[in-house]
Amino acid sequence: MQHISGAWQRTARGAGLLSADGTAVPTIFAEMSALAVSTGAINLGQGFPDEDGPAPVLDAARKAIADGVNQYAPGRGFPDLLAAVAEHQKRFYGIELDPTREVLITVGATEALASTLLALIDGPDDEVVVFEPYYDSYAACVALAGATLVPVPLRWPDFQPDLEQLAEAVTDRTRVILVNDPHNPTGTVFSRDVLDEVVRLAHQHDAIIVTDEVYEHLVFDGPHVPIATLPGAAERTLTISSAGKTFSLTGWKTGWVTGPADLVTAVLAVKQYLTYVGGSPFQPAIATGLRLPDEFFASVASEMAAKAALLGTGLRAAGFDVSTPAGSYFTVVDAAPLGATDADAFCRELPARAEVVGIPLTAFVTPAHRDDYATLVRFAACKRVEVLAEAAERLAGMSRA
């Protein structure tokens, strides 16, 4: 077959999806989800819920379709959703935004991230600092933009970065400090000291802070603290979030970017030539969701915390060492007590051993650092309680076998 050159190669290589012979390979999520289907195992690998979101939001989407909201939305998004995002930021965090200039609706957080990085990275001399392990889209988008990824390690079991290592990673070549908080894949919530240091370093080196806060309403102890609320941060911070995780509507792919008008306009300049706009009838529905009462948002966090605790009980009973998550969908375990030396191989064998699927943490790190995470596995707790209870029983059964 003819060799196909192009930017796809560095994108796939950045995400670890290019084999030694130059062939593209599937993501670990695709592989493990297929393995779950073929074996009948419970899929705790990929982070998507198995139940729908709140009825008022679903009803609003149906109504929008029936009312003819089926053509292109405005490029920035429907005014009502722009207003709802601004209201949400003020309601929960005290952040004042101009919805006409400082909010942009995107096709999920993934497009928001891609648009932002493509808009802000200027060339191969630019660096993007990320916390490792990281959501795999980060490495792919940084590579596509032609910049250099600079990872700062998060270490088992609390997954907080060393502040000296963070300071060494951020230099005058740093264009973006990319922060995911609450964090995927580790389930950590960064301490205030970490967030303050990110802001200090961004000022010192004139870097832009980009935050991925899709799990903002899934913090288990206390409210989420956006970096944009810290002193000196708002002027240089773009905040990204989405409806998928909060409302269990990941397939709707409705996200947003908020921040200073000049930065948001720069992102729009790229975003409008990627997808232009997303699904119109979802936008009024998400506006409805963002205006749900406080009790709904509190229940999202408490229910996920209970699910994480249930899953953690099963994982401990199975013999794993378990890191207690502070937020998000995810729990990370060390499989070494069960004899694992390679998390990838362990996860491929797990469906046969326990009829459960997890994801090796090595899928979220640079090749040079795989050994540092060699026996760590991520499980997702975003499933129905009865599914998690069955998974916990199956996992615990490994220790009784």
Side-chain angles (χ1 to χ4, degrees):
M1 180 177 177
Q2 181 183 359
H3 174 72
I4 307 298
S5 61
W8 77 270
Q9 288 196 21
R10 67 171 181 265
T11 305
R13 186 177 296 109
L17 300 179
L18 203 66
S19 64
D21 65 359
T23 304
V25 298
T27 68
I28 192 68
F29 308 105
E31 285 191 66
M32 291 300 161
S33 291
L35 186 60
V37 171
S38 66
T39 62
I42 295 174
N43 188 358
L44 301 187
Q46 198 163 2
F48 60 86
D50 60 357
E51 52 193 339
D52 284 334
V57 180
L58 302 179
D59 291 342
R62 296 186 188 99
K63 183 176 187 301
I65 293 172
D67 289 348
V69 186
N70 301 306
Q71 309 308 323
Y72 292 132
R76 283 183 178 264
F78 281 116
D80 190 50
L81 180 54
L82 297 173
V85 170
E87 292 164 15
H88 171 276
Q89 294 303 94
K90 182 177 181 180
R91 170 185 171 189
F92 288 100
Y93 312 124
I95 298 173
E96 297 275 359
L97 294 169
D98 178 349
T100 67
R101 301 172 63 245
E102 297 179 322
V103 183
L104 172 64
I105 305 305
T106 60
V107 182
T110 301
E111 191 212 25
L113 286 158
S115 301
T116 297
L117 292 170
L118 289 169
L120 299 179
I121 290 171
D122 201 30
D125 290 335
D126 285 348
E127 296 180 346
V128 177
V129 172
V130 300
F131 293 109
E132 184 179 49
Y134 46 76
Y135 177 47
D136 59 345
S137 171
Y138 300 168
C141 290
V142 169
L144 175 61
T148 300
L149 191 79
V150 179
V152 176
L154 304 177
R155 301 299 189 195
W156 168 275
D158 65 348
F159 296 111
Q160 296 288 328
D162 180 273
L163 296 186
E164 290 185 4
Q165 289 182 318
L166 175 58
E168 290 172 0
V170 181
T171 70
D172 289 344
R173 293 182 61 174
T174 303
R175 178 63 172 159
V176 170
I177 305 173
L178 178 50
V179 181
N180 178 202
D181 184 37
H183 187 260
N184 173 17
T186 68
T188 197
V189 170
F190 292 122
S191 70
R192 179 59 184 265
D193 287 346
V194 171
L195 302 184
D196 283 339
E197 182 68 353
V198 167
V199 176
R200 185 188 73 80
L201 291 167
H203 274 276
Q204 180 180 339
H205 297 283
D206 194 26
I208 298 168
I209 303 168
V210 176
T211 70
D212 174 356
E213 302 183 14
V214 298
Y215 297 101
E216 61 185 310
H217 289 294
L218 294 174
V219 178
F220 302 153
D221 296 308
H224 172 60
V225 179
I227 286 187
T229 62
L230 272 57
E235 67 199 56
R236 60 178 62 245
T237 299
L238 281 171
T239 301
I240 292 169
S241 193
S242 78
K245 306 306 190 294
T246 297
F247 301 111
S248 295
L249 296 168
T250 58
W252 286 18
K253 297 300 293 179
T254 304
W256 47 86
V257 183
T258 62
D262 55 347
L263 289 176
V264 171
T265 299
V267 176
L268 173 62
V270 171
K271 180 261 183 297
Q272 64 192 350
Y273 296 111
L274 295 179
T275 60
Y276 178 42
V277 292
S280 289
F282 299 135
Q283 293 197 24
I286 297 306
T288 296
L290 290 172
R291 293 175 175 133
L292 288 173
D294 290 354
E295 291 76 15
F296 166 77
F297 293 94
S299 71
V300 170
S302 62
E303 289 172 8
M304 188 56 63
K307 289 179 176 182
L310 174 61
L311 176 60
T313 297
L315 292 167
R316 290 183 179 88
F320 293 102
D321 285 340
V322 181
S323 174
T324 302
S328 85
Y329 282 171
F330 305 111
T331 295
V332 173
V333 303
D334 188 352
L338 295 176
T341 58
D342 180 338
D344 186 82
F346 178 85
C347 286
R348 294 177 192 282
E349 297 165 0
L350 189 59
R353 295 180 62 180
E355 297 183 283
V356 174
V357 165
I359 296 286
L361 220 63
T362 48
F364 304 92
V365 303
T366 50
H369 298 154
R370 285 176 61 92
D371 288 349
D372 296 332
Y373 304 91
T375 59
L376 302 184
V377 177
R378 187 195 80 173
F379 292 96
C382 52
K383 308 297 179 182
R384 299 189 310 277
V385 168
E386 58 268 29
V387 172
L388 291 171
E390 174 61 23
E393 178 63 24
R394 293 183 185 186
L395 290 163
M398 286 198 305
S399 65
R400 298 194 295 267

